[in-house]
Amino acid sequence: MMEAAEKLPDWRVVDLESITDELYGLAPADFTAARNERAAAARTAGDRELAGRIQALRRPTLSAWASNLLVRRQPGQVQPLISLGEGMRRAHRDLDGEQLRELGRRQHDLVGALARQAKQLAADAGHPVSEDVQHEVESTLHAVLADPDAAREWAAGRLTKPLSPPVGFTAATTPTAVPHKASRPATSAAVAKEEEEERARKEQCAARLARAEHDAAAAEQQARDSEEELARAETRLREAENEVTALAEQLKEAKERRKAARGAVATARDRAREAGAAARKARRRAEDAAANADGR
């Protein structure tokens, strides 16, 4: 179960920043309903712009949520990873092999530890994750090390999908990626061949990554479209239910008015009947009185 601090409070229209922060503290399974509720409430309050911006927020994948959970539950782990990434990028620029080896060992230990923490936090929150999800968290952490923009996005705790490091980054930052010395001299031809093979491998990796990203983007778009259609359908359902409720209330009131009107008609009919009978009696008395007067 999610902790109380991560549950949405009773609805009140607040700023988008606060709503966004609250929503991305929820598990993916709870995100869509809470987002739609917030958007509907903003729309009811007359703030259609806020409602549209809330509705545009995307549900996080399970690994993105686990990464967000790590940032939110373990804020003290954020800066050490960001600082490690800055040091690794600096060592890359300076071609400092010894520093890269040292930082690479720290990277391996820290990324593994943080990914395991994220997995445990997710389980503690009532949503155990698979090894594949843990690997996606590790991929996100590698991206944080490689890219300052990715680091800022991760540190905000509002990821919607896992981040991917640049092709070759993980391999380039492992402890064995920078050799101390070449074991034996290589010929120019051998070096050229190795470089060509390495380029081919990188191109193949890049092509596979591009295909995977394209497929993922298509799947995510389809999921977004489905969520949006669901939100529209839910909105229509709520509006129809509200209309039915209003019409039912009007019908109830109309029936009560009809009942009252029927009672008034019956009362008036009785009074009219009584008045008619009284008028006839009065007429007969008047006629009798006139007849008596003539007889005299």
Side-chain angles (χ1 to χ4, degrees):
M1 298 293 293
M2 300 298 294
E3 292 187 358
E6 291 187 36
K7 290 183 178 179
L8 285 172
D10 291 338
W11 164 252
R12 55 192 178 91
V13 178
V14 291
D15 61 282
L16 179 66
E17 187 74 12
S18 299
I19 295 172
T20 302
D21 192 60
E22 290 169 349
L23 288 175
Y24 284 106
L26 298 175
D30 302 324
F31 181 91
T32 301
R35 180 201 60 193
N36 293 346
E37 179 184 352
R38 283 287 183 139
R43 194 177 299 111
T44 300
D47 195 338
R48 299 189 66 83
E49 180 181 357
L50 176 61
R53 296 177 70 182
I54 294 172
Q55 196 68 59
L57 295 174
R58 301 270 60 83
R59 182 181 64 184
T61 65
L62 198 55
S63 65
W65 167 72
S67 296
N68 294 338
L69 192 63
L70 176 64
V71 170
R72 291 165 178 265
R73 297 285 185 83
Q74 301 289 343
Q77 302 286 6
V78 173
Q79 191 55 47
L81 187 68
I82 292 177
S83 297
L84 177 60
E86 292 171 348
M88 296 181 75
R89 294 192 297 274
R90 185 166 52 251
H92 269 290
R93 289 193 299 270
D94 297 342
L95 299 179
D96 188 338
E98 183 177 352
Q99 183 71 357
L100 274 175
R101 282 188 291 274
E102 172 59 27
L103 294 177
R105 282 189 288 270
R106 288 175 55 192
Q107 168 213 352
H108 177 75
D109 294 340
L110 184 56
V111 167
L114 291 179
R116 289 190 294 273
Q117 283 187 41
K119 183 178 182 180
Q120 185 59 51
L121 288 170
D124 293 344
H127 299 276
V129 299
S130 66
E131 292 295 327
D132 288 341
V133 170
Q134 183 177 344
H135 291 326
E136 289 183 349
V137 173
E138 291 175 354
S139 175
T140 294
L141 298 175
H142 282 302
V144 170
L145 293 171
D147 182 358
D149 290 335
R152 285 189 290 271
E153 188 177 356
W154 170 72
R158 299 175 183 179
L159 296 179
T160 60
K161 61 182 179 180
L163 304 176
S164 299
V167 175
F169 174 80
T170 305
T173 54
T174 55
T176 58
V178 183
H180 291 277
K181 292 181 181 180
S183 57
R184 55 187 174 84
T187 64
S188 297
V191 170
K193 182 178 179 182
E194 289 178 358
E195 291 177 348
E196 180 62 29
E197 290 175 348
E198 180 63 20
R199 278 195 298 273
R201 281 194 296 272
K202 288 183 177 180
E203 289 174 357
Q204 291 174 356
C205 288
R208 286 196 296 270
L209 177 62
R211 285 195 298 272
E213 289 180 344
H214 177 272
D215 292 344
E220 289 169 353
Q221 182 60 51
Q222 184 175 2
R224 285 194 294 269
D225 292 344
S226 297
E227 285 185 6
E228 290 168 0
E229 177 57 31
L230 173 61
R232 288 192 294 269
E234 289 175 339
T235 298
R236 291 194 297 270
L237 174 60
R238 283 193 297 272
E239 291 173 349
E241 288 175 341
N242 291 338
E243 185 177 357
V244 168
T245 300
L247 290 174
E249 186 63 28
Q250 292 175 14
L251 178 60
K252 179 181 178 182
E253 293 174 356
K255 286 181 176 179
E256 290 175 351
R257 290 195 301 271
R258 182 181 65 180
K259 181 179 179 181
R262 284 177 173 172
V265 167
T267 299
R269 184 178 291 116
D270 291 342
R271 289 176 179 172
R273 187 181 302 110
E274 291 172 356
R280 286 192 294 274
K281 287 180 181 179
R283 172 58 59 187
R284 283 196 296 272
R285 286 196 298 271
E287 291 174 349
D288 291 343
N292 291 333
D294 291 342
R296 291 177 186 175

